Amino acid sequence: MHLCQMLDGKDWEVDFFISETQYHAWVNRERTIDRMHMYSAQQLGFIQPGKAAAGAMKGTVPGCDVSVLLENGRLPDLYMGRNLEIARWTERFSWGFRKHFHFSPEWQDCRQIRLLLKGIDYAAEIFLNGVSLGRHVGMFLPFEYDVTQLVRRDGENLLAVIFDPAPQACPNHQESRPAEFAHFHRHQMGFGWDWARAAVTTGIWDHVEIHGYGTARVKDMFFRYLGEGKCSVSLDVESFEDTELPLDIALMPDGFSAPSAKCSTKLALHAGSNHAEVDFKIADPQHWFPNGYGSQRLYILNTDLGCGMDRSRRKVGLRTIRMARNPNSPEGAYDQTFVINGVPVFARGLNWVPEDLLFYCTGKEDYERLVKCAALAGFNLIRSWGGGLIEKTEFFECCDKYGIMVWQEFPHGCSNSPKDPDYLAYSELEGEAILRKIRNHVCLSLICGGNEVLYYGEIPNSPMFKKYAEQVARLTPDLAFHISCPDLSRPGERHHGPWWMESHAFYNGHNRILATELGCNGMMEEESIHRFIPENEPLPDGQSYHYHFLHLQKMPDLHRQWEPFQPETLREHCQSSMFVQADITGYQMEHYRRGWPEKSGCFFWQYNEPWPTFAWSLIDYYSVPKIAMYRLAKSNAPVMLSLRDEDWCVKNGIWQAGWYLCNDRAAFDGCAELRVITKDGVELAAWKVERAFASGVTHLGNRETVVPENTVIIAIMTLKDQTGSVLFRTERLYGAPDYRTAFRSAAADVAAEYRAVPGGFLLTLHNRGGNAAMMVRAMLPEVDAKCVYWHENYVTLAPGDTRELFAECTEFPEKVRISGWNVPEKDAAKA
């Protein structure tokens, strides 16, 4: 048998105390004022069965001190203004979490019962029925304990986790010695970063489970696909006696039609630890591909040891992976082209940070939203940044589902690491646990030692990174390992960045083999700002604006983005900044795609944000995509037209650009069209190229035209196949000589109507007037942003143009609203 009981839930009791150490220091000193008449959890009886927890709050696990206080209405909205500072008092106390639970009758027959806490933050002592199971330190090493002799199978049990006060560390990076935060085995962002305030919370951040077993248990399982239908399953088994047990393995398609595979054998087990390897083949294997390169076929892998003694069910994918050398890369450089199932892949990447400062509460729905939005925008890789988390299993399941490769970093960032024996020994245990946790996910594509560690005095052959390399080779043998991102010890590697507005000419000379971190800062939608900036604070000098990183020291601030627009209202400030971010990030991606195959990918800093900021994210904390997400969806299209120019403004009265087609698919016959018009609808030039378009990058010629001043220029690109069907369409806007007229233009007359279609609704926009309708946005004012997925948004319509925007939505909306730079806000009509 294998029984599992989840101990997560809303019925935990939570309270705060002074620590046991602090309590004894108080009682052993005379005439002490500090901590006078306060108790530790142990002295108050919080860990004892039958002892009431007077004054404790009810709380949800996974959860933390601050999330429980919020649940109980004891804190305000922490992200409004500077309220986050109000919660910092929690860091000074010891927090206790406890839960009562019972077993059902079938647990009576279990030979062994084990408690598993998958994630604890940070240092705690764990008690079961008043008995200490031991201390645990560190976020990424699970706590597991044999509690067979301690549980009450026919009565009430009490699990209590008593935390030390939160660790404290300065967030400043140090070049000559390990930073203070680097001494702790926890996510380093929590101590504060240049886009996140410190929130050193305490709690249980991943699931709590209790497992029951019969004669044997599977401690670990690794599924590996070797290509050509060959599969391998390796098992680590603990047996409680000398025995022989049958093992049945089944691999079945999950929701698609294809052959299954079954394999049966017998395992001769001796009491203690055992290892077994089972190889089998599956006919007509259906491969998993990254988003944009094929389907994401997943199989269900069932393993059954001992006719139900220990059963497991998980989803796996079939894919081969290797890294190929980039053409013309220097000798000794990393191979940096992902090759999946024999197909070279251009990595359209995002840098991922924890979903929330209170990441304890992040669940499947949160991961689903963010990963799906990334997939809809055409991305196929997430770099899980080293200053953050090894995310919960649900994150990797979503990446499996949507075809998002994961570049996973060990939890180190922006510091060298301690070299003492204790730290190294713990890191070895931690690395092993991390790899075993994530290695069965088909999305996992590369392992890296950490973020920018070589900037801060780390050396590539340090003992910790040598051990990581050995562990990766042993536990994930198909995956490449990089020491650092970037690894400046390797030829061809260069610094990250930049992360702000530069001219297009600057990016034309930005050359990386694989650009793993660059981007541009930007604001968010006006409605999101009203959710975290108090109403009476002025832009840009209000304290809350600064607290949420509107101005970043040592980096160009948003004034550079506003200057070409001269915005007057908050909405105009938001729109102009987001437009700049979209223009820069879109140009960066297209520049790297034009460099394929010498350049094999581009990753943006950053995709998401753990609280609302004016920093770099492409989707804001409230899950509202910025303009850049829609621009990048065009830049990520498998077949895409792009322009290579010098700037996003036309300074000398002549618009000039190189015209390119990037094609990730097979060759095809088609027609590419390029029109250049003014915002007033005047056509300045038009070109057409009809031919057979090869796979890869095709230069369609250099184009130029004279343009008037004091206007906005719109370049409209369309690609059609030989039947006339539109394969790709986009618009690029240029200021001539700037964008000062953008928000003061004559209004465009746009008709808007929406109707229900399978999976959502379709919004039809038609420009009935003589002026171009610039940057038209559709939104649902009465629907939470997390409930709607726009497949396209922020479109520009030439006079006479019609566009259809599809949105996935669980319910047909009562209101759909549109607005634009020169389109007055209005509600669309229902068809």
Side-chain angles (χ1 to χ4, degrees):
M1 66 173 64
H2 179 192
L3 304 176
C4 178
Q5 183 173 336
M6 300 294 293
L7 299 185
D8 297 353
K10 299 180 179 180
D11 58 346
W12 286 68
E13 294 174 295
V14 183
D15 208 343
F16 65 95
F17 314 87
I18 62 172
S19 72
E20 189 76 355
T21 300
Q22 292 167 328
Y23 175 78
H24 286 292
W26 175 66
V27 297
N28 291 328
R29 293 199 305 253
E30 295 181 0
R31 303 175 61 85
T32 299
I33 304 300
D34 183 45
R35 305 299 189 183
M36 176 183 278
H37 291 230
M38 294 185 70
Y39 288 97
S40 67
Q42 293 90 322
Q43 292 298 318
L44 201 61
F46 190 80
I47 67 171
Q48 295 299 331
K51 184 78 171 180
M57 299 170 282
K58 288 291 186 181
T60 300
V61 167
C64 67
D65 48 4
V66 174
S67 68
V68 171
L69 289 168
L70 288 167
E71 274 187 272
N72 286 270
R74 300 195 185 185
L75 287 173
D77 177 356
L78 291 184
Y79 299 157
M80 170 58 73
R82 292 174 284 165
N83 285 350
L84 186 60
E85 299 300 324
I86 296 173
R88 297 297 301 273
W89 66 266
T90 63
E91 300 170 18
R92 304 195 308 271
F93 289 92
S94 167
W95 285 81
F97 288 69
R98 77 177 199 175
K99 179 183 176 104
H100 295 89
F101 65 96
H102 296 79
F103 289 111
S104 53
E106 61 265 32
W107 286 77
Q108 294 290 343
D109 298 327
C110 292
R111 295 274 297 271
Q112 187 183 82
I113 298 176
R114 301 185 71 85
L115 174 68
L116 174 63
L117 290 92
K118 292 186 173 181
I120 298 174
D121 182 20
Y122 173 69
E125 188 168 3
I126 297 89
F127 298 85
L128 182 63
N129 296 328
V131 178
S132 174
L133 306 184
R135 282 184 53 80
H136 179 84
V137 176
M139 285 188 63
F140 304 116
L141 195 64
F143 179 86
E144 188 171 4
Y145 201 89
D146 182 350
V147 294
T148 309
Q149 305 303 318
L150 296 175
V151 295
R152 299 167 181 170
R153 304 190 191 205
D154 54 0
E156 185 175 78
N157 294 274
L158 178 67
L159 171 65
V161 184
I162 310 302
F163 289 92
D164 293 353
Q168 297 296 302
C170 175
N172 294 337
H173 305 165
Q174 303 289 336
E175 295 188 10
S176 58
R177 62 186 186 277
E180 287 187 19
F181 58 76
H183 291 271
F184 296 99
H185 297 273
R186 77 186 301 268
H187 79 300
Q188 295 166 350
M189 180 204 80
F191 294 108
W193 220 256
D194 54 3
W195 39 267
R197 296 293 175 187
V200 193
T201 42
T202 291
I204 302 170
W205 72 273
D206 208 341
H207 303 295
V208 183
E209 302 169 356
I210 195 159
H211 295 262
Y213 302 95
T215 303
R217 71 181 183 103
V218 176
K219 296 191 296 183
D220 187 49
M221 189 274 288
F222 179 41
F223 172 81
R224 187 181 179 195
Y225 180 65
L226 304 173
E228 299 180 343
K230 299 176 184 177
C231 303
S232 174
V233 173
S234 64
L235 299 169
D236 291 327
V237 180
E238 180 186 10
S239 180
F240 310 132
E241 60 186 42
D242 293 340
T243 187
E244 184 176 80
L245 294 177
L247 173 66
D248 297 310
I249 298 173
L251 189 64
M252 302 172 292
D254 182 29
F256 62 95
S257 180
S260 298
K262 293 185 178 180
C263 174
S264 297
T265 188
K266 287 189 176 182
L267 300 183
L269 304 173
H270 60 80
S273 297
N274 301 264
H275 182 78
E277 301 270 355
V278 180
D279 298 328
F280 62 95
K281 290 196 71 172
I282 188 166
D284 190 22
Q286 300 297 298
H287 293 133
W288 180 95
F289 280 93
N291 184 38
Y293 283 83
S295 59
Q296 287 76 56
R297 303 291 199 196
L298 294 175
Y299 286 77
I300 297 172
L301 176 67
N302 286 330
T303 60
D304 186 346
L305 177 65
C307 299
M309 190 68 62
D310 191 341
R311 287 176 176 162
S312 73
R313 175 186 174 93
R314 69 181 70 209
K315 292 184 180 181
V316 297
L318 310 182
R319 65 101 176 89
T320 61
I321 182 169
R322 65 181 179 88
M323 302 302 292
R325 182 179 176 83
N326 295 48
N328 302 317
S329 65
E331 183 178 352
Y334 282 124
D335 296 340
Q336 301 221 59
T337 298
F338 290 91
V339 180
I340 309 297
N341 303 317
V343 179
V345 170
F346 184 88
R348 301 157 167 84
L350 295 164
N351 281 273
W352 174 282
V353 300
E355 185 267 346
D356 201 302
L357 293 181
L358 306 182
F359 56 87
Y360 310 75
C361 306
T362 300
K364 181 178 179 180
E365 295 79 10
D366 304 300
Y367 288 128
E368 176 88 10
R369 167 68 182 177
L370 286 171
V371 175
K372 181 174 179 177
C373 282
L376 288 176
F379 290 98
N380 58 28
L381 184 144
I382 281 174
R383 174 184 171 230
S384 189
W385 169 70
L389 298 170
I390 310 299
E391 296 287 351
K392 299 172 187 175
T393 296
E394 291 87 340
F395 165 75
F396 295 94
E397 290 173 343
C398 287
C399 292
D400 290 342
K401 176 180 177 180
Y402 289 106
I404 305 296
M405 300 185 292
V406 175
W407 169 307
Q408 180 63 60
E409 298 187 357
F410 286 110
H412 306 284
C414 298
S415 176
N416 61 51
S417 298
K419 305 299 188 293
D420 60 274
D422 287 347
Y423 187 92
L424 295 175
Y426 190 99
S427 295
E428 181 177 353
L429 293 174
E430 193 174 50
E432 183 109 0
I434 288 169
L435 293 174
R436 289 185 185 277
K437 171 184 174 179
I438 65 180
R439 64 179 179 161
N440 282 300
H441 292 280
V442 67
C443 62
L444 190 64
S445 299
L446 187 142
I447 307 296
C448 179
N451 173 70
E452 298 178 1
V453 295
L454 299 187
Y455 288 9
Y456 298 92
E458 193 61 82
I459 55 176
N461 62 345
S462 69
M464 184 176 70
F465 290 104
K466 289 176 70 175
K467 178 56 66 174
Y468 283 158
E470 180 275 325
Q471 289 175 326
V472 170
R474 174 169 50 87
L475 297 173
T476 57
D478 299 317
L479 302 185
F481 175 69
H482 289 193
I483 295 291
S484 173
C485 182
D487 183 347
L488 298 180
S489 70
R490 300 294 289 257
E493 296 279 306
R494 299 185 185 179
H495 289 279
H496 281 153
W499 306 269
W500 54 77
M501 182 186 81
E502 294 287 357
S503 69
H504 292 182
F506 172 87
Y507 290 108
N508 290 338
H510 191 275
N511 296 310
R512 307 284 191 271
I513 300 172
L514 178 63
T516 49
E517 191 179 307
L518 76 167
C520 182
N521 52 334
M523 296 179 74
M524 68 287 288
E525 297 288 358
E526 180 183 11
E527 69 264 21
S528 291
I529 291 177
H530 290 312
R531 298 180 68 171
F532 69 96
I533 298 296
E535 190 173 343
N536 62 345
E537 292 207 20
L539 174 74
D541 294 322
Q543 284 273 50
S544 294
Y545 281 104
H546 285 263
Y547 188 77
H548 290 263
F549 297 97
L550 181 64
H551 295 287
L552 302 173
Q553 293 181 359
K554 298 184 180 179
M555 293 189 180
D557 63 36
L558 296 179
H559 281 109
R560 291 185 60 205
Q561 300 181 358
W562 295 331
E563 196 277 332
F565 288 85
Q566 295 294 295
E568 297 177 0
T569 65
L570 176 59
R571 176 179 178 273
E572 291 175 359
H573 282 84
C574 294
Q575 291 291 307
S576 55
S577 175
M578 283 194 297
F579 176 79
V580 171
Q581 181 191 42
D583 178 86
I584 297 303
T585 55
Y587 195 86
Q588 289 167 339
M589 177 61 79
E590 292 167 19
H591 164 69
Y592 273 89
R593 289 195 65 187
R594 290 192 294 266
W596 171 262
E598 286 83 2
K599 302 178 179 70
S600 57
C602 179
F603 307 171
F604 291 104
W605 185 268
Q606 63 200 68
Y607 174 42
N608 58 317
E609 60 188 18
W611 77 308
T613 76
F614 297 95
W616 293 280
S617 72
L618 302 178
I619 186 169
D620 73 25
Y621 172 74
Y622 303 104
S623 203
V624 180
K626 300 181 185 179
I627 300 175
M629 283 289 284
Y630 301 108
R631 165 67 189 268
L632 285 163
K634 296 294 187 179
S635 304
N636 287 335
V639 182
M640 180 268 295
L641 294 168
S642 73
L643 297 169
R644 185 184 190 276
D645 51 54
E646 296 296 304
D647 203 356
W648 57 308
C649 289
V650 181
K651 303 288 189 183
N652 59 2
I654 299 177
W655 177 86
Q656 297 175 312
W659 189 20
Y660 291 82
L661 181 139
C662 298
N663 178 22
D664 289 346
R665 304 280 172 83
F668 67 96
D669 293 332
C671 177
E673 300 176 4
L674 170 60
R675 293 177 62 212
V676 180
I677 67 172
T678 69
K679 66 183 178 64
D680 304 311
V682 177
E683 183 171 281
L684 302 176
W687 300 274
K688 182 184 294 187
V689 175
E690 294 184 79
R691 56 178 287 183
F693 295 112
S695 180
V697 180
T698 302
H699 182 211
L700 302 179
N702 296 321
R703 311 297 179 189
E704 70 174 52
T705 185
V706 176
V707 300
E709 288 196 355
N710 299 316
T711 188
V712 175
I713 305 301
I714 305 163
I716 304 168
M717 294 181 283
T718 307
L719 181 66
K720 300 177 181 178
D721 64 17
Q722 58 186 351
T723 70
S725 297
V726 175
L727 300 177
F728 178 82
R729 174 171 53 193
T730 194
E731 308 87 29
R732 299 286 179 261
L733 274 59
Y734 296 83
D738 51 39
Y739 290 86
R740 296 187 187 197
T741 64
F743 300 131
R744 316 286 174 256
S745 302
D749 181 12
V750 178
E753 182 180 82
Y754 69 104
R755 68 182 190 278
V757 296
F761 65 92
L762 199 65
L763 173 65
T764 302
L765 303 174
H766 177 62
N767 187 355
R768 300 178 296 197
N771 299 311
M774 294 182 289
M775 303 300 291
V776 181
R777 179 199 180 195
M779 65 173 296
L780 308 184
E782 299 175 350
V783 177
D784 189 317
K786 293 184 178 181
C787 299
V788 60
Y789 296 89
W790 289 98
H791 286 219
E792 186 176 11
N793 212 335
Y794 274 108
V795 296
T796 294
L797 290 82
D801 272 0
T802 297
R803 299 287 288 275
E804 290 185 329
L805 309 184
F806 172 68
E808 295 180 49
C809 196
T810 53
E811 297 181 6
F812 188 68
E814 288 299 313
K815 285 186 179 180
V816 178
R817 187 164 294 164
I818 68 165
S819 63
W821 286 2
N822 64 330
V823 177
E825 188 174 282
K826 63 185 290 188
D827 289 340
K830 292 183 183 179

